[in-house]
């Protein structure tokens, strides 16, 4: 096992631990926790046995498995960033509406 | 003074100027709404000393959001027919309020346009002109002095413009929406009152503005 693989495994195990903590804190629901645990478990397995995705790598004409992993990681990160952006916009809009409604309700004329 | 026409003053940490500004404004116009945008200084306490309508944002949302809150209050609760925005940092001369409201009788939108003097830095003047030229090329209409916070809107224009910007980009969005919807507008020439507390825009703000303009161009 190379150093890079070892680091990937340790990172994956750490992320599994983070998911577990957030499940216990009830930040993540059971289904969310299951999804993220499976994702990081798969990450650990692929880090230990990269040859498992050799077939996909060959099918997509990637020279190395590492390239396939990088491309997938970028796709996942972009998707997460995009959804975070949408959620952030939605939250901003909700906060603005709430603050405005509160200001309008409590509006008063000073003497 | 025309009935149901209101001056809206958005204020965020403006305790330094607000007393002076309100004293001057109330000399010319008695129907004033101050929107405190989450100030942490004495802005609210000062505003309460004057016979005005006070709205308070419990957290800072930005100038665009403050103006929108003021407009919602004026048009929905006070049944206003038109409003004029007036900056709280003493950059405008309140004796022009009458001219602004007069102009609003013939146009749905009125822009208070500053005559650039030597007091304003050259870079600021150039950026100001560039903003107008960008709007001309992108939306087909030349609107002078876009960053000026002294502008008036009728109720109909407010509904048409319907800006989304909650921050300082609101001035730019109002101008682009006016150009986009081909709304008729008038111009009232006002003097420049420039002081060193004027914050201006950074390069990052300009890049943000250009990105937003591209989105406004696509998303009509």
């Amino acid at each position: 096992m190379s150093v890079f693989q070892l680091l990937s495994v340790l990172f994956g195990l750490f992320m599994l631990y983070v998911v577990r903590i957030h499940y216990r804190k009830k930040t993540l629901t059971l289904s969310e926790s299951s999804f993220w645990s499976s994702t990081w478990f798969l990450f650990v397995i692929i880090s230990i046995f990269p040859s498992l995705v050799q077939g996909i790598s060959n099918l997509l004409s990637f020279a190395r498995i590492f390239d396939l992993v990088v491309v997938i990681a970028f796709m996942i990160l972009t998707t997460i960033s995009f959804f975070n952006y949408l959620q952030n916009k939605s939250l901003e809009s909700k906060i603005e509406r709430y603050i405005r409604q509160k200001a309008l309700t409590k509006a008063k004329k000073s003497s | 003074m025309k009935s149901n026409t209101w001056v809206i003053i958005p204020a965020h940490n403006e305790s330094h100027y607000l007393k002076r500004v309100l004293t001057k404004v109330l000399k010319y116009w008695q129907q004033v709404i101050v929107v405190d945008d989450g100030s942490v200084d004495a802005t609210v306490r000062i505003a309460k000393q004057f016979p005005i309508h006070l709205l308070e944002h419990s957290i800072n949302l930005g100038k665009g959001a403050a103006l929108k809150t003021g407009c919602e209050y004026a048009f929905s609760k006070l049944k206003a027919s038109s409003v004029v925005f007036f900056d709280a940092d003493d950059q405008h001369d309140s004796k022009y309020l009458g001219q602004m409201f007069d102009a609003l009788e013939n146009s749905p939108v009125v822009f208070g346009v500053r005559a650039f003097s030597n007091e304003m830095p050259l870079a600021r003047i150039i950026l100001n002109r560039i903003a107008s030229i960008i709007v001309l090329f992108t939306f087909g209409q030349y609107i002078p002095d876009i960053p000026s916070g002294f502008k008036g809107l009728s109720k109909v224009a407010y509904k048409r413009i319907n800006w989304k910007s909650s921050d300082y980009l609101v001035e730019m969005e109002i101008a682009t929406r006016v150009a986009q919807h081909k709304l008729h507008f008038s111009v009232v020439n006002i003097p420049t009152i420039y002081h060193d507390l004027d914050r201006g825009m950074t390069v990052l703000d300009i890049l943000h503005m250009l990105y937003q303009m591209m989105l406004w161009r696509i998303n009509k």
Side-chain angles (χ1 to χ4, degrees):
Chain A
M1 185 184 280
S2 69
V3 178
F4 179 70
Q5 277 178 288
L6 185 67
L7 284 174
S8 300
V9 171
L10 289 175
F11 178 68
L13 291 173
F14 172 72
M15 289 311 292
L16 276 169
Y17 171 66
V18 172
V19 171
R20 173 92 185 129
I21 287 173
H22 283 282
Y23 173 64
R24 290 179 71 171
K25 282 184 177 175
K26 300 197 189 303
T27 319
L28 296 174
T29 61
L30 180 64
S31 52
E32 284 169 330
S33 164
S34 306
F35 170 76
W36 285 110
S37 297
S38 311
T39 305
W40 289 114
F41 181 72
L42 197 66
F43 179 84
V44 171
I45 297 296
I46 291 171
S47 301
I48 300 169
F49 308 107
S51 54
L52 286 175
V53 288
Q54 184 73 57
I56 303 170
S57 181
N58 292 341
L59 187 73
L60 298 172
S61 308
F62 281 106
R64 298 174 302 171
I65 292 170
F66 180 73
D67 296 341
L68 173 73
V69 172
V70 168
V71 169
I72 290 173
F74 265 114
M75 284 166 73
I76 292 171
L77 283 175
T78 311
T79 310
I80 291 173
S81 301
F82 180 65
F83 280 107
N84 277 341
Y85 170 74
L86 292 179
Q87 200 162 27
N88 196 29
K89 276 198 80 164
S90 160
L91 275 174
E92 263 181 25
S93 161
K94 280 178 191 168
I95 291 170
E96 189 181 323
R97 278 205 305 271
Y98 172 73
I99 300 285
R100 177 166 299 123
Q101 202 51 50
K102 205 173 143 194
L104 291 171
T105 313
K106 292 186 173 179
K108 52 185 172 281
K109 188 176 189 307
S110 323
S111 50
Chain B
M1 190 172 64
K2 295 158 193 73
S3 62
N4 262 338
T5 48
W6 291 79
V7 175
I8 297 175
I9 305 178
H12 173 63
N13 293 340
E14 294 290 0
S15 59
H16 188 72
Y17 289 111
L18 193 62
K19 190 171 186 173
R20 198 192 311 173
V21 168
L22 284 174
T23 308
K24 286 183 192 172
V25 168
L26 287 165
K27 227 192 284 178
Y28 295 94
W29 215 263
Q30 282 73 53
Q31 302 190 144
V32 177
I33 299 163
V34 172
V35 185
D36 170 61
D37 192 24
S39 298
V40 291
D41 63 359
T43 299
V44 170
R45 187 174 55 76
I46 293 167
K48 281 179 177 170
Q49 295 166 6
F50 292 86
I52 49 102
H53 287 251
L54 177 65
L55 295 129
E56 291 177 60
H57 281 174
S58 43
I59 56 168
N60 177 241
L61 293 177
K63 187 178 182 182
L67 288 176
K68 200 161 202 172
T69 301
C71 285
E72 287 295 319
Y73 184 67
F75 292 126
S76 303
K77 298 228 170 169
L78 301 173
K79 307 291 174 207
S81 55
S82 58
V83 295
V84 165
F85 304 147
F86 197 93
D87 284 346
D89 56 359
D90 199 28
Q91 285 213 31
H92 311 307
D93 190 337
S94 49
K95 75 176 177 200
Y96 290 86
L97 280 168
Q99 280 188 43
M100 294 290 284
F101 282 112
D102 284 344
L104 274 169
E105 294 204 335
N106 302 314
S107 307
V109 182
V110 178
F111 292 105
V113 175
R114 293 167 291 186
F116 297 121
S117 65
N118 294 337
E119 287 172 71
M120 194 183 264
L122 183 65
R124 197 67 59 79
I125 297 173
I126 293 170
L127 282 176
N128 190 306
R129 290 279 154 82
I130 289 174
S132 298
I133 291 166
I134 291 173
V135 171
L136 171 67
F137 281 109
T138 327
F139 298 94
Q141 201 157 16
Y142 186 83
I143 295 174
D145 196 12
I146 291 169
S148 167
F150 200 10
K151 46 179 66 103
L153 298 178
S154 68
K155 188 176 181 176
V156 175
Y158 169 67
K159 298 279 179 203
R160 283 300 299 277
I161 293 169
N162 188 26
W163 66 84
K164 300 282 184 293
S165 304
S166 59
D167 53 11
Y168 58 90
L169 285 180
V170 63
E171 312 291 5
M172 197 70 190
E173 190 178 354
I174 289 175
T176 54
R177 299 292 182 207
V178 166
Q180 209 167 33
H181 298 303
K182 306 265 180 270
L183 291 174
H184 179 249
F185 66 87
S186 301
V187 163
V188 170
N189 292 311
I190 56 169
T192 311
I193 304 173
Y194 183 80
H195 46 70
D196 51 6
L197 271 178
D198 188 355
R199 288 173 276 271
M201 289 174 97
T202 64
V203 175
L204 279 180
D205 294 335
I206 292 163
L207 291 174
H208 183 203
M209 183 188 83
L210 290 172
Y211 166 71
Q212 281 298 334
M213 281 189 71
M214 194 182 69
L215 293 184
W216 296 330
R217 185 72 188 87
I218 298 164
N219 179 20
K220 292 186 180 182

